[in-house]
Amino acid sequence: DAGITQSPRHKVTETGTPVTLRCHQTENHRYMYWYRQDPGHGLRLIHYSYGVKDTDKGEVSDGYSVSRSKTEDFLLTLESATSSQTSVYFCAIRDGRRTYEQYFGPGTRLTVT
Amino acid sequence: QQQVKQSPQSLIVQKGGIPIINCAYENTAFDYFPWYQQFPGKGPALLIAIRPDVSEKKEGRFTISFNKSAKQFSLHIMDSQPGDSATYFCAASKNTDKLIFGTGTRLQVFP
């Protein structure tokens, strides 16, 4: 999985609780992305980062926030989890020098009850 | 909005067959078209990608055909094997930016 780890790999939480997912890379890539994967929707971009402290919104950013204080770590936070955020979350990285290829982590399965 | 439409949703072929998965896009500014392969419980893995300046690209048993005028591209898997059974996603992006994914095709290859 291209030097990408995600933690936790599985999490069950209750509606209304905050949740933070972590993506860690060892590739020193500039770009990092958070996607969610749901049946019938493919993968949809939540937020992305183009450098330390530089982030921007994706297609489905409502209810999510992100932070990147170090090159290697990109955190996704659900401030108050809802059942509609039950999904599989994938982190991806891209080397700005190899402009196009994105490589994905193993994913985190989140269930909000 | 669905900017990349993928079909079929599922596909069943016999070993040795040539499954074909199709994608259509709307935004003519897209300039990068990758295909990803995903096995259950794993993250998507980049399989092959094409830029719009070529009409075909082959890597091993996998071929992308690209039709710029029709705004369509497709994945062909030659001599398919049971190990190719997976979900395949097409995607598109412009200017090295955010990827827009299709909804996926579940391929089953039977011995």
Side-chain angles (χ1 to χ4, degrees):
Chain A
D1 291 315
I4 309 169
T5 56
Q6 293 186 231
S7 59
R9 294 294 314 279
H10 302 271
K11 185 170 182 66
V12 179
T13 192
E14 292 184 350
T15 298
T17 60
V19 177
T20 295
L21 308 183
R22 180 183 184 233
C23 177
H24 178 79
Q25 60 146 330
T26 58
E27 306 294 326
N28 199 37
H29 284 1
R30 176 182 175 186
Y31 297 88
M32 299 185 75
Y33 305 81
W34 276 108
Y35 293 87
R36 61 178 288 174
Q37 184 175 36
D38 305 288
H41 290 277
L43 292 105
R44 292 179 292 174
L45 182 66
I46 305 171
H47 281 282
Y48 67 103
S49 169
Y50 45 96
V52 173
K53 298 190 187 302
D54 292 324
T55 64
D56 204 349
K57 295 179 180 180
E59 178 187 357
V60 290
S61 59
D62 288 349
Y64 302 96
S65 63
V66 290
S67 66
R68 191 172 179 197
S69 58
K70 299 184 290 185
T71 298
E72 58 266 35
D73 289 325
F74 193 31
L75 303 181
L76 176 70
T77 297
L78 291 65
E79 299 292 345
S80 178
T82 68
S83 58
S84 64
Q85 294 176 312
T86 292
S87 186
V88 181
Y89 291 86
F90 288 100
C91 173
I93 63 175
R94 176 167 70 88
D95 182 350
R97 294 165 296 178
R98 291 186 180 181
T99 53
Y100 288 91
E101 293 89 354
Q102 287 189 29
Y103 299 96
F104 284 78
T108 293
R109 181 173 294 276
L110 176 67
T111 302
V112 183
T113 61
Chain B
Q1 69 270 19
Q2 182 67 47
Q3 295 189 56
V4 179
K5 295 184 178 180
Q6 184 171 347
S7 63
Q9 278 190 311
S10 63
L11 194 52
I12 300 174
V13 299
Q14 292 286 332
K15 176 183 175 181
I18 306 174
I20 301 173
I21 305 170
N22 300 298
C23 283
Y25 63 96
E26 300 167 4
N27 190 338
T28 55
F30 287 151
D31 61 355
Y32 172 66
F33 303 90
W35 284 91
Y36 283 82
Q37 179 188 56
Q38 185 179 30
F39 294 105
K42 303 292 187 181
L46 181 62
L47 192 60
I48 185 173
I50 197 167
R51 300 289 303 278
D53 52 345
V54 297
S55 60
E56 185 175 276
K57 183 176 181 179
K58 293 182 180 181
E59 285 188 6
R61 296 184 293 107
F62 300 92
T63 298
I64 298 179
S65 297
F66 185 81
N67 186 328
K68 188 174 181 178
S69 61
K71 293 187 289 184
Q72 295 176 347
F73 57 110
S74 59
L75 177 70
H76 302 234
I77 305 175
M78 311 302 287
D79 187 27
S80 59
Q81 302 295 314
D84 297 328
S85 297
T87 300
Y88 293 81
F89 292 94
C90 64
S93 73
K94 61 177 181 176
N95 297 332
T96 76
D97 203 4
K98 300 158 277 191
L99 283 173
I100 307 297
F101 282 85
T103 51
T105 296
R106 185 185 177 201
L107 171 66
Q108 294 175 273
V109 181
F110 285 96

